[in-house]
Structures are given as C-alpha cells and as structure tokens.
Amino acid sequence: HYQPVAERRIHEIPQIGVVNGLGVQPDGSGLLLMIEASVKKGAGGLTVTGILEEEELKGRQGSYKRKSNARTAAETVLTLLEEFGFSKEAYAVHLHFPGGIPVDGPSAGLAMFLAVYSAFTGTPVPHDIALTGEITLHGQVLPVGGVEEKIKAAAAAGAKRVWIPQENAKEAYQQMEIEVIPVKEVQEVLEAVF
C-alpha cells in the first residue's frame, strides 16, 4: 500500500534541469511530478533515483505487480540527445524523481528529455509548464494514457501551459483552464520553450 502523494505546486522560479512532468496515481487521479536532472562532464553513466521500481496495481480482474520503465525511457532520452551534441560517454546523467512515487517511464519521456536538455545546455526551464508523452529514438512524441487527468493536475498545480502528444489531442482540452499544446516532435517543444 502506498500513501497518497501530497498535491504538488509548481516552483516559483525557472530552474536549470527541473521540469514538471505528469503522471497518474494508482487511484486514477492526475499528479504533477517534479523531475530533476544533473549532467556532469566526465565518465559517462546514467543514474535514475526516487522512483518505486515496482508497484502493485489493483483492478477488477485482481491485482498484479508492474516494474517501472523509467530507466528504459531515460536511456532513450540520452540516445536522442546525441542529435543535440550530447555524448553518453562524456557525461554522467542523474535523473531524480523526488517523492518515491510510482513512475511509468515512457509517459515521462518528454519531460525527462527537457530536464536533461536543460541541464546539458545550462538553460532554465519555465516553471509554469508541464509535459507528458513518450518519445522515440528519432524524437517523435507518442500517445500516453490518462491525459485528461494529467492536464487537470497540471492546472491545479498552477501550470499555465501543458504539452501533450498530438495523438492524444481532443477538442475538449481547448476549453480547459490551461493552455494545452499538442506536439508530434521534441523539436517543437524545444522551439516553444526556449
């Protein structure tokens, strides 16, 4: 059994390597996830901390355990970043998800990418944005689940804009109290954010 996560609020100022990701809690409600990235020159490597490696899900058909895919999604992020001058051999990357919560890695891919890109380039990320979406090795943004709940969580946390996969876009999202921006490629996010 996991304790419910306290409702998070966005930071008050932009920070380097800190991004608001979005998730869905085991009860189905949306959740703002802080994702922190540190990039240091030296021997390459990847560390992912702060996530539960395994979670138990309960449903009508019973319960089952699921392992997190966060490390796999982080590996995809590092490979994609090589198109932007990053080298997996020359930099050590640490991704941290404060709070010890269950994270389904693929849907945090876009947010992890932005966090590592920010840390690598030394560019702060606007504090009032949030993101969700799986990414591919070629920079495409793939659809994910729980988008409506995630958008609501972003709005409740004080975010002003949220990026979602184009394939998840619905007309109803344009009527929400937050600007919802559908994207197909990570390059679109980089151009809009920076």
Side-chain angles (χ1 to χ4, degrees), residues 21 91 118 155:
Y91 295 95
S118 167

Side-chain angles (χ1 to χ4, degrees), residues 156-174:
K160 303 288 184 238
R161 297 175 290 166
V162 61
W163 277 268
I164 66 168
Q166 177 69 50
E167 291 182 52
N168 285 117
K170 291 183 180 176
E171 190 65 36
Y173 296 161
Q174 300 308 316

Side-chain angles (χ1 to χ4, degrees), residues 52-57 64-68 102-104:
L52 293 176
E53 290 296 325
E54 187 175 276
E55 64 177 316
E56 185 173 351
L57 301 173
Y64 65 97
K65 291 187 178 184
R66 176 178 78 169
K67 290 210 173 263
S68 171
V103 175
D104 180 24

Side-chain angles (χ1 to χ4, degrees), residues 147-153 155 162 170-180:
V147 171
E148 186 170 341
E149 293 78 12
K150 292 174 180 179
I151 294 170
K152 288 176 181 176
V162 61
K170 291 183 180 176
E171 190 65 36
Y173 296 161
Q174 300 308 316
Q175 314 309 316
M176 298 180 90
E177 59 188 77
I178 185 172
E179 183 182 0
V180 179

Side-chain angles (χ1 to χ4, degrees), residues 97-182:
F97 296 81
I101 55 175
V103 175
D104 180 24
S107 68
L110 184 58
M112 286 192 283
F113 174 84
L114 194 60
V116 177
Y117 182 89
S118 167
F120 174 61
T121 62
T123 310
V125 176
H127 66 288
D128 60 353
I129 67 169
L131 307 97
T132 188
E134 180 176 355
I135 61 170
T136 70
L137 292 173
H138 300 290
Q140 296 169 322
V141 180
L142 301 180
V144 295
V147 171
E148 186 170 341
E149 293 78 12
K150 292 174 180 179
I151 294 170
K152 288 176 181 176
K160 303 288 184 238
R161 297 175 290 166
V162 61
W163 277 268
I164 66 168
Q166 177 69 50
E167 291 182 52
N168 285 117
K170 291 183 180 176
E171 190 65 36
Y173 296 161
Q174 300 308 316
Q175 314 309 316
M176 298 180 90
E177 59 188 77
I178 185 172
E179 183 182 0
V180 179
I181 307 162

Side-chain angles (χ1 to χ4, degrees), residues 1-191:
H1 296 282
Y2 304 115
Q3 293 184 356
V5 178
E7 198 171 292
R8 293 184 189 244
R9 300 287 304 162
I10 61 169
H11 283 281
E12 294 183 15
I13 58 168
Q15 297 180 55
I16 295 171
V18 178
V19 172
N20 297 310
L22 297 166
V24 177
Q25 298 188 73
D27 68 2
S29 62
L31 170 70
L32 186 82
L33 302 169
M34 181 196 309
I35 300 173
E36 299 176 312
S38 170
V39 175
K40 298 204 183 326
K41 196 145 177 71
L46 173 64
T47 305
V48 180
T49 57
I51 60 168
L52 293 176
E53 290 296 325
E54 187 175 276
E55 64 177 316
E56 185 173 351
L57 301 173
K58 294 183 181 184
R60 288 180 233 175
Q61 290 83 19
S63 64
Y64 65 97
K65 291 187 178 184
R66 176 178 78 169
K67 290 210 173 263
S68 171
N69 297 343
R71 184 169 180 85
T72 302
E75 293 281 358
T76 301
V77 164
L78 298 190
T79 299
L80 176 58
L81 277 166
E82 291 187 324
E83 292 182 23
F84 299 89
F86 179 82
S87 167
K88 288 194 267 187
E89 290 76 35
Y91 295 95
V93 175
H94 186 158
L95 277 162
H96 182 61
F97 296 81
I101 55 175
V103 175
D104 180 24
S107 68
L110 184 58
M112 286 192 283
F113 174 84
L114 194 60
V116 177
Y117 182 89
S118 167
F120 174 61
T121 62
T123 310
V125 176
H127 66 288
D128 60 353
I129 67 169
L131 307 97
T132 188
E134 180 176 355
I135 61 170
T136 70
L137 292 173
H138 300 290
Q140 296 169 322
V141 180
L142 301 180
V144 295
V147 171
E148 186 170 341
E149 293 78 12
K150 292 174 180 179
I151 294 170
K152 288 176 181 176
K160 303 288 184 238
R161 297 175 290 166
V162 61
W163 277 268
I164 66 168
Q166 177 69 50
E167 291 182 52
N168 285 117
K170 291 183 180 176
E171 190 65 36
Y173 296 161
Q174 300 308 316
Q175 314 309 316
M176 298 180 90
E177 59 188 77
I178 185 172
E179 183 182 0
V180 179
I181 307 162
V183 292
K184 291 182 180 179
E185 306 277 339
V186 296
Q187 189 66 40
E188 296 172 60
V189 176
L190 291 180
E191 289 170 5

